[in-house]
Amino acid sequence: MRRIDIKTIKGLTASEVKHRVQRGAVNKTKKDHANSYPKIICSNIFTFFNLINTVLFLLVCLTGAYQNGLFVFVVFSNVIINLFQEIRSKRTLDKMALLKVAKVDVYRDGTLTQLPIETLVLDDQILLKNGDQVPTDAQVISGTLEVNESLLTGEVDSIYKQAGDALFSGSFVTSGEAVCQVIHVGADNYIEKINKEAKASKRQTYLIQGSLNRIIRWISLILVPLCSLLFAKQYFFSHAPFDTAILRTVAAAVGMFPEGLFLLTSVTLTISAVYLARRKVLVQELNCIDALARVDVLCLDKTGTITEGKMTVEKVIPLTDSADIPLITQNLLAQLPDQNPTALALRAHYDSVSTFSMQQVTPFSSDRKYSCVTFAEQGTYFIGAPSILLSQTDKQLLQNEKQFAEEGYRVILLAHSPHAYEIDQSLTDIEALGFFLLSDTIRSDAEATLDYFRSQGIQCKVISGDDPVTVSKIAKKVNLPGAANYIDVSTLTAVELKEAVGRYQIFGRVTPQQKKEMVLYLKELGHTVAMTGDGVNDVLALKAADCSIAMASGVDAARQVANLVLLENQFAALPSVMDEGRRVINNITRSGSLVLVQVLFSIIITIGTLLSGTTYPFEPIQLTMINACFVGIPTFFLNFEPDFKRIKGDFMTTIFQQAFPAAMTISIGTLLIINVGYWFNSSTQALSIMSIIFTAWNYRLLQRKVYPPINKYRTTIFFCTQFFYFVALIIGQNLFNLGNTTYMNLILLIALLNYATYMQRFVERWMKQLMRQYKKKRALPKISKV
């Protein structure tokens, strides 16, 4: 290999460097302060949700009934959990570093010196050699290089670079030596453009999160006016004491705010993240578990997911009986410096042995597509592409090579020439000695994992930067449905790509930007998309997916931008991860309906109290006790139950349909209690005990519907929490501000308890009828006007 004459290279002068630094043409990037620690803290503490609850707590403190302020601990816990998760994510993002190099060899004032990459300026001349990572976008001006761009493009083959060719920052030099001129610095570098998008905080809108936000928006519109009117009604018109009016108004407001649902969701997702961590799966964003449970399209990057990212020698086919193929190959490997995937596969198959006397070594070049070594008294042995080493007269061997390639193998030829090798001369007297058949090493668990996804109705699409034919062959080996249905994306326009996304399963020659566009197109079609990957070329697509999954062996950028990281690169972990997502969402949906009951009946009873009645029947601590015993404690333990059914229906619609019958029954019964009690001059404390007993009974009925007592575990939990509740009412009568009831009130309560089941069923049937009419109306075809 011809060496570079460093005497002819001067580089930039000190004055030229100074001028470029003054212009800002230096290899520095601006630090992103968009998601700083103060901003994270402020965004989680100073929210409308926290403001309302703080005001309510201060109002409770004015009355001196501090026990009624227990609800504030729910809010406090929710803030702590969210702060912990966001700060943890920021710290992870801050550690992201795509480039590992710290210094580079630079020519300045005719001298080769080593400088930090941050000091490079535009037009600097740098020296790159085997093993270096390209620090900035550059252009080769002298010498030649072999560059591995798999980190950027996904293609594993080294690319030959000569004078005039461009180099991308982030790629690796696998062989050669060249002087290159810097053409981009700082944020203009290719890798920095990807890095910038990768570092931006990923703010996906998930279904449960979106539903909670919608609840907050609606409640925000009605809470302040409703509660203001309720206080005025109780204090000025019903002449309730100031403390009583305050406490009852706070109880209504606390009941309307679904802080229990926020806490339940945060705690459940956090526990799930801990469980997955034990399975060596790192959850970097809690809400992604929601998306994971609903995934119906999984986009796979071939390398690192279906395959292990390395090659294996599958077969060795001798073409002559006179050659000792193992011995020849061992001597070749002992002399050749090649470290490309083919060479590594051969080194794994054969040990290096040096028994021949070496005279000349010619490393592999993607330009000539072979490497060779000349040995004394042995001639020259070649390893490389059959199409280059074989002459067109060897038609049968070329046909055999083509057949092996169609079977999915990478075919490498071992050949011999009795002459010493001379560069730039045509190859003559080449004798084929044998074929090496190599293939990508497929993960042992890939086929079983893909079978699971197929059984769950999840469509798998392979999106790779490699040749689509090669990817298709690998997909066939793991029995991926539609493996023969492939396309070369490099030939498609944006419109054609959008159409192809829905028709094909295997996509080859895909650029990073195209990967992202494909994920976005799938989302436009209504799919919930998960993306797996391990390279920089996957970062944009990982960022765009509803749920992104990276391998721990991948680059930093892929790991940091992903929602989930498989710490042991175990592709087989995905089914259990998806099952965990379904378990969590199914359980949150069930328990969410119990939480929503309080929100609904609080709004309805508040409106009812404004229209008729005297005072709101509950105090904050009474609702806190009901929530703890009938929602918080039992659902916490029941959320550990396995439930891997596919997610169906909209989260908000599902929990509303389950919660509304019980909420309406509680509202009707409670309004009857306070209005009938008013005519019989019952005390506020007596009406409260009746109301909370009736409410607890309806919660029990809903519990049996949402959580049928099909096993001893559920029965035990419900029995213990309900027993504790009624014991607490008896022991803590003064704490909960409860009084004795009259016989007339007791008769009314018993009647309401008996009819509660029928009332819930009636409301449920009424709701279903309304829903059927609504769907039928929407399904009617529109008649155009003539």
Side-chain angles (χ1 to χ4, degrees), residues 714-752:
R714 288 185 178 182
T715 303
T716 302
I717 288 175
F718 287 137
F719 174 80
C720 291
T721 52
Q722 291 167 18
F723 178 77
F724 174 76
Y725 175 75
F726 288 106
V727 169
L729 290 185
I730 297 171
I731 297 176
Q733 187 173 4
N734 293 331
L735 176 65
F736 298 113
N737 197 21
L738 302 175
N740 297 321
T741 184
T742 64
Y743 286 109
M744 187 60 68
N745 288 337
L746 189 59
I747 293 172
L748 174 62
L749 176 61
I750 294 173
L752 290 173

Side-chain angles (χ1 to χ4, degrees), residues 109-172:
D109 289 316
T111 304
L112 182 64
T113 183
Q114 205 171 59
L115 297 174
I117 61 172
E118 295 85 3
T119 63
L120 289 177
V121 297
L122 196 65
D123 300 324
D124 253 332
Q125 294 179 355
I126 59 178
L127 177 65
L128 297 176
K129 52 188 179 298
N130 184 24
D132 289 343
Q133 187 176 18
V134 182
T136 65
D137 295 348
Q139 186 178 51
V140 180
I141 58 176
S142 178
T144 60
L145 296 172
E146 295 282 334
V147 178
N148 186 327
E149 295 181 349
S150 61
L151 191 69
L152 307 174
T153 65
E155 296 190 52
V156 296
D157 292 331
S158 294
I159 300 174
Y160 182 72
K161 302 285 185 178
Q162 57 186 351
D165 290 340
L167 300 175
F168 293 108
S169 53
S171 53
F172 285 91

Side-chain angles (χ1 to χ4, degrees), residues 564-607:
L564 301 171
V565 179
L566 305 183
L567 297 178
E568 293 185 346
N569 308 307
Q570 67 283 41
F571 184 54
L574 284 181
S576 61
V577 171
M578 191 158 290
D579 281 343
E580 175 63 12
R582 290 180 174 180
R583 183 193 68 77
V584 168
I585 302 307
N586 280 323
N587 285 325
I588 287 178
T589 301
R590 277 201 297 265
S591 54
S593 61
L594 291 172
V595 177
L596 190 62
V597 169
Q598 177 183 287
V599 177
L600 295 175
F601 79 66
S602 295
I603 294 172
I604 298 171
I605 292 176
T606 300
I607 295 173

Side-chain angles (χ1 to χ4, degrees), residues 12-22 25 108 119 121 124:
L12 298 178
T13 64
S15 61
E16 290 173 329
V17 171
K18 183 178 180 180
H19 177 65
R20 284 164 173 76
V21 171
Q22 290 173 344
R108 295 271 179 92
T119 63
V121 297
D124 253 332

